[in-house]
Amino acid sequence: MSTQIAPASIDHARRIEELGKIILAYSEVTERLQMAHEQLNHTVRKLQIELSEKNLQLERKNRLAALGEMAAGMAHEIRNPLGGIQLYASMLDKDMADRPASQQLVRKISGGVKRLEGLVSQTLQFTREIAANAVEMDIREILDQSVDFASASLQAREVACEITGPGAMTVLADPILIGQAILNLILNASEAISGGGTIKIELRKPPAESNAKQFHLVIHDSGPGIPPHVLDRIFNPFFTTKDHGTGLGLAIVHRIVEAHDGSIVVTNPPGGGARFEIRI
């Protein structure tokens, strides 16, 4: 005796099978949508961070432009009377030839005027337009030269300088400006270290997630680091935490990096010291 399956039962089983396929397909679509949603959220967060950084850079650039314009005006106004003071001081110096004690005071005035003239010159240098004359250059060669130029300061402070990275790396940049920026950062780092220490310099290709196209240059010193409350002002002109100096060194470095369409980031790493990273 043969058993026959009712057509209704076959139809019901077929519908259940089709429903299972629909549910499975729906689950796959939902999973893909979820993955796409997560990727979109990640991209949005990344873009928000980049936008925030760009807004900060634009705000700093506008602030520096306003400060530079004001500084240029003041520098020109100060330079003219300084020239007159220096002229009269030199004339007075000759008149005091028979009075050494008074002549020494006059020479102190002349010394003070020369220091002010130096500050005015640095201010005018900062306010000038910095245009990068980009050529093919070996960034490692410029780095080695900068360390050599800073050797006297490094030796005087008993600071060791360690360089890691490729022996040669061709980039498109202005060798004079890049050399000036690197030298300023090395000297700044050496001054931050008291009683001996180490400056570690790392040159490398930019990682995949970086906006840089050519290289990353990291200068990390073993000093006390930068007080957190001044980190956002460290590149402002005339701002300094030292007892001496004009406060223009890091501001000029910032302008040089910007002239190469790059960025510079400063942090206090967990291990201590200050870490400057140039990204170009």
Side-chain angles (χ1 to χ4, degrees):
M1 183 177 179
S2 60
T3 304
Q4 294 184 348
I5 300 175
S9 298
I10 296 175
D11 187 55
H12 181 69
R14 187 180 296 121
R15 289 182 179 180
I16 291 176
E17 183 180 356
E18 291 175 352
L19 181 61
K21 290 179 180 179
I22 292 172
I23 292 174
L24 181 61
Y26 178 78
S27 298
E28 291 176 353
V29 170
T30 302
E31 186 177 352
R32 286 198 298 269
L33 285 173
Q34 181 65 31
M35 291 176 61
H37 179 71
E38 291 175 358
Q39 290 176 353
L40 183 59
N41 277 338
H42 175 73
T43 302
V44 169
R45 285 194 297 269
K46 183 179 178 181
L47 290 174
Q48 286 175 336
I49 293 172
E50 291 180 2
L51 179 60
S52 178
E53 290 177 352
K54 292 296 182 183
N55 284 338
L56 288 175
Q57 291 174 11
L58 180 60
E59 181 184 349
R60 180 183 290 120
K61 190 172 184 178
N62 290 336
R63 185 168 65 246
L64 292 181
L67 283 171
E69 186 177 348
M70 179 185 70
M74 291 183 63
H76 284 295
E77 291 297 324
I78 292 172
R79 172 165 278 184
N80 291 333
L82 277 181
I85 295 172
Q86 184 62 48
L87 173 63
Y88 296 137
S90 63
M91 294 171 62
L92 191 59
D93 182 51
K94 294 177 182 178
D95 291 342
M96 295 294 177
D98 58 339
R99 285 170 280 179
S102 298
Q103 189 179 49
Q104 189 64 27
L105 291 175
V106 173
R107 289 179 177 175
K108 287 183 178 180
I109 294 173
S110 294
V113 171
K114 288 179 180 178
R115 284 193 293 273
L116 286 173
E117 285 180 341
L119 175 58
V120 169
S121 296
Q122 283 189 320
T123 301
L124 290 173
Q125 179 189 4
F126 168 75
T127 58
R128 292 191 189 102
E129 184 68 25
I130 295 180
N133 181 24
V135 296
E136 282 195 356
M137 53 168 261
D138 184 354
I139 180 66
R140 177 57 188 259
E141 181 182 353
I142 299 299
L143 173 56
D144 290 339
Q145 287 178 358
S146 299
V147 173
D148 186 52
F149 291 154
S151 59
S153 177
L154 296 173
Q155 291 173 8
R157 293 180 169 83
E158 299 180 348
V159 175
C161 193
E162 302 174 1
I163 304 176
T164 58
M169 182 188 292
T170 301
V171 300
L172 194 63
D174 188 316
I176 295 177
L177 291 179
I178 292 295
Q180 181 183 356
I182 295 173
L183 179 59
N184 280 358
L185 289 176
I186 293 173
L187 293 176
N188 187 72
S190 70
E191 291 178 3
I193 302 172
S194 58
T198 305
I199 299 174
K200 294 183 179 180
I201 304 176
E202 179 189 2
L203 175 65
R204 56 190 170 93
K205 289 286 187 180
E209 66 274 9
S210 172
N211 290 329
K213 304 299 182 185
Q214 301 194 73
F215 66 89
H216 276 205
L217 179 68
V218 178
I219 298 178
H220 182 191
D221 65 65
S222 61
I226 300 171
H229 65 280
V230 303
L231 272 175
D232 61 340
R233 292 186 287 160
I234 201 69
F235 295 114
N236 287 356
F238 310 111
F239 177 81
T240 179
T241 57
K242 304 171 187 176
D243 295 330
H244 61 281
T246 61
L248 287 173
L250 290 179
I252 291 174
V253 170
H254 188 275
R255 292 197 63 201
I256 289 174
V257 174
E258 278 194 333
H260 287 82
D261 294 325
S263 62
I264 180 169
V265 180
V266 57
T267 56
N268 288 320
R275 182 180 186 275
F276 289 82
E277 182 171 3
I278 294 176
R279 303 169 182 174
I280 291 178

